[in-house]
Amino acid sequence: MSRIRLPFLPTFLTLLGVAFAVVVAARIRAYNGGAGVRAEDGEVSSTISGPQATSRYAPSSEGGDGTTIATVASKSSPASGNAKLSPREQRYRELLNAHPPPGPAGQQAPVHIVNAPKQPEKQSAFAKIGQEIKKFFNGDKGTAPPPPPPVPQPKPNPDTGHEKPVDKDPNTDTTPPSVTALQFDPPSVHDGDSVAVIVTAMDDMSGIRGISGTITSPTGKALQGFACQREAPESNRYVGRLTIPKDAEEGMWHINFLNVSDNASNSVTLAYNQAPVLQSAQLQVTSSRSDKTPPTVKAAWIDKRGMRAGEKNTLFVQAQDDKSGVNLVSGVFLSPKKQARIGVACHGSGDGDLWTCDFTVPACLDCGDWQLEQIQLQDKASNMTAVTAAASDIVRAVTVNIVGDSCDPDAPVLQAVMLDTNQVPSTPEGTLVNVRVAVNDDGCGVASVSGQVVGPTGGSGLFFAFTAAGAQDWIGKMPIPKLAGKGIWKINWLQVMDKGNNLRVYFSSDPLLRNAFVNVR
């Protein structure tokens, strides 16, 4: 019996056609029975779900980068179609039909299309066979394209600590000054000699307002402050002068702190460990009697252990220094409730070690035992130290009991803050915004109110004071500098103090200061 041989190609095509018809029929049934598509009165709607939604009945186009753009088609009018859609579908259609927001200067903003990840679909056996046949004839080209190169991120300038803005408003100044060079002149001095600190700095718009800093000895125990002035009207060099003390510590001195601010309240603060421009400047100090040890406290006592408010009292401090000698002594007393402080200044008695600190206290204050909180000392070589009650039995043993006719242990209470306006333009001259506050004190009475305002870039901020305008009302003029950066300028803190030195500080996070801001346009 002869075996019948069927031609391979016609048989394969027949089976492939049957399989294709089965798949098409199954897909049509899935479309007609799926929850995502419904047909009512000849209308087709699409249910949106997941990160990317498309309509199966809408024409789509695929870009060269694989981005799919889908539109939702409807046979009815937009008004009647939206009435039968769910709120989520209505919102999606509104977003699809909405025009992109206008860009700067009325220009049309570019439309950015985000590629959402596609969910993998389950493949049938015929689909897998088709893929294998395609690989056989065309080769395996399923290798994923290489990822795009990483976008370079802007690096902060080590001499400013800020990134350079990409788009800068020509009418506002939001960039802090930059320090390009720093040097000592001369670079080597003897103790007792003077030296110039020369800072080369630039600001792009409003101009530099101030430059200040400190230099420190090799051990960091001696500090000398300085402030710089512009060398010439058109110069970028700013010069400060200081004198190295007699018997100063020998070795390399350097600038450990530098603050530069401009007239728009932008500022940059440089520290020695993070700023190469500071590390490049060193001052060689030569001393025949190098002193690197601060003074020490040998004894401290109070003249009257008890006193009434308004009376005079005296604190005595015995301080010693091994080489250059004691130069300054002062002390601070802390109130029983720890909301008030009283500072005392001391004067020496000739060449001896005994320092006398006379002081008086307000007539109204927190009554009770006031604790000597700390004693500050400095020698003639500028070595400084602070001896605290927490670290010294000598300081901790000094207390004074104060009584008075009026006792007030509590700081004033801020009750309300109101600004005349919350919007001002950025101008070349700057502006002032009136701030009215209500402050209550049930004891000694309010003595002072002050605050600080900072802009959107932070910086050192601007301070302003208030004046009394009634029993509880105080008015201050909050400064918005010239060429102020656009954005939110807020009151960073407000401090209120009564006549008994009780002090309270309110920060911007406090609910009372939540609306204490100005939007600079």
Side-chain angles (χ1 to χ4, degrees):
M1 178 174 163
S2 63
R3 185 175 298 174
I4 300 175
R5 297 180 179 273
L6 296 177
F8 172 76
L9 184 58
T11 304
F12 177 79
L13 294 176
T14 302
L15 293 176
L16 188 61
V18 173
F20 180 79
V22 172
V23 171
V24 171
R27 298 298 288 178
I28 293 175
R29 178 174 299 178
Y31 287 149
N32 294 332
V37 178
R38 59 184 177 86
E40 295 180 3
D41 300 329
E43 180 185 39
V44 179
S45 64
S46 175
T47 301
I48 311 302
S49 64
Q52 181 179 7
T54 59
S55 171
R56 296 188 178 96
Y57 291 91
S60 63
S61 62
E62 184 169 345
D65 58 352
T67 303
T68 301
I69 307 173
T71 59
V72 179
S74 176
K75 294 183 179 180
S76 60
S77 64
S80 62
N82 290 341
K84 297 182 181 181
L85 295 177
S86 67
R88 190 175 183 182
E89 292 172 326
Q90 293 180 16
R91 177 59 180 160
Y92 183 73
R93 287 197 177 188
E94 292 174 0
L95 293 175
L96 287 177
N97 296 327
H99 295 287
Q107 298 179 357
Q108 193 76 6
V111 178
H112 301 281
I113 302 174
V114 180
N115 294 330
K118 299 182 179 180
Q119 300 294 332
E121 298 181 358
K122 185 177 180 181
Q123 293 181 332
S124 63
F126 290 103
K128 293 180 179 179
I129 293 175
Q131 285 185 355
E132 294 298 328
I133 294 175
K134 184 177 179 180
K135 289 180 181 180
F136 178 80
F137 286 101
N138 298 334
D140 190 1
K141 299 179 181 180
T143 305
V151 179
Q153 299 296 328
K155 296 181 178 180
N157 189 332
D159 296 332
T160 63
H162 296 269
E163 297 176 0
K164 184 179 180 181
V166 178
D167 297 320
K168 182 171 177 60
D169 190 333
N171 299 317
T172 62
D173 185 359
T174 58
T175 305
S178 60
V179 179
T180 58
L182 196 149
Q183 68 182 93
F184 290 101
D185 185 24
S188 178
V189 295
H190 291 278
D191 60 316
D193 292 344
S194 62
V195 63
V197 182
I198 302 175
V199 180
T200 303
M202 294 178 292
D203 187 71
D204 58 348
M205 292 187 68
S206 62
I208 292 177
R209 181 179 66 192
I211 299 177
S212 60
T214 58
I215 69 169
T216 183
S217 61
T219 60
K221 296 178 181 179
L223 292 174
Q224 286 280 97
F226 65 90
C228 297
Q229 301 293 328
R230 198 167 192 170
E231 188 177 42
E234 301 299 327
S235 174
N236 290 327
R237 287 162 50 101
Y238 296 79
V239 180
R241 297 190 179 277
L242 52 87
T243 300
I244 301 300
K246 188 68 177 175
D247 300 329
E249 179 181 354
E250 190 173 66
M252 285 293 185
W253 290 53
H254 62 264
I255 297 178
N256 66 321
F257 166 85
L258 186 70
N259 179 267
V260 185
S261 60
D262 65 15
N263 289 304
S265 192
N266 302 299
S267 68
V268 57
T269 300
L270 305 179
Y272 178 79
N273 292 334
Q274 288 82 28
V277 68
L278 296 191
Q279 298 170 8
S280 64
Q282 301 285 331
L283 175 65
Q284 177 68 53
V285 175
T286 303
S287 178
S288 58
R289 194 183 179 194
S290 177
D291 184 359
K292 59 182 180 181
T293 305
T296 58
V297 175
K298 296 300 182 181
W301 65 93
I302 196 79
D303 183 27
K304 301 175 184 178
R305 297 295 300 269
M307 62 182 295
R308 293 189 61 85
E311 293 181 351
K312 179 182 175 181
N313 207 341
T314 303
L315 169 70
F316 297 97
V317 178
Q318 185 179 2
Q320 291 181 347
D321 187 72
D322 58 346
K323 289 185 179 179
S324 61
V326 181
N327 185 42
L328 295 173
V329 177
S330 61
V332 177
F333 283 93
L334 181 64
S335 67
K337 206 169 180 179
K338 298 179 173 56
Q339 293 191 24
R341 287 177 169 84
I342 296 175
V344 296
C346 307
H347 58 276
S349 54
D351 296 331
D353 297 333
L354 185 63
W355 289 74
T356 304
C357 321
D358 297 324
F359 66 96
T360 59
V361 298
C364 176
L365 79 173
D366 185 8
C367 299
D369 289 334
W370 286 62
Q371 171 70 58
L372 181 60
E373 186 180 24
Q374 61 177 301
I375 297 175
Q376 301 101 357
L377 306 101
Q378 183 187 55
D379 65 13
K380 295 178 181 178
S382 292
N383 297 300
M384 296 184 295
T385 187
V387 183
T388 64
S392 170
D393 294 336
I394 296 175
V395 177
R396 187 165 52 250
V398 179
T399 61
V400 56
N401 184 269
I402 305 176
V403 296
D405 297 333
S406 300
C407 298
D408 183 5
D410 299 319
V413 178
L414 182 66
Q415 295 180 320
V417 179
M418 185 177 66
L419 278 66
D420 280 357
T421 180
N422 288 112
Q423 287 192 354
V424 297
S426 177
T427 64
E429 300 81 15
T431 187
L432 297 173
V433 177
N434 289 328
V435 183
R436 182 183 297 271
V437 300
V439 185
N440 180 52
D441 187 77
D442 56 1
C444 302
V446 180
S448 66
V449 181
S450 59
Q452 181 201 43
V453 57
V454 296
T457 60
S460 57
L462 296 172
F463 301 93
F464 62 104
F466 290 73
T467 58
Q472 296 182 349
D473 292 339
W474 291 72
I475 295 179
K477 295 185 179 298
M478 184 174 74
I480 304 298
K482 66 178 185 179
L483 301 175
K486 294 181 180 180
I488 299 299
W489 286 73
K490 64 180 180 180
I491 296 181
N492 194 34
W493 53 259
L494 275 178
Q495 68 175 20
V496 292
M497 187 173 68
D498 66 12
K499 297 176 182 178
N501 289 0
N502 295 301
L503 178 70
R504 180 175 295 172
V505 181
Y506 293 84
F507 294 97
S508 59
S509 58
D510 191 279
L512 288 168
L513 297 182
R514 185 174 301 164
N515 296 321
F517 67 87
V518 173
N519 185 13
V520 177
R521 304 186 304 274

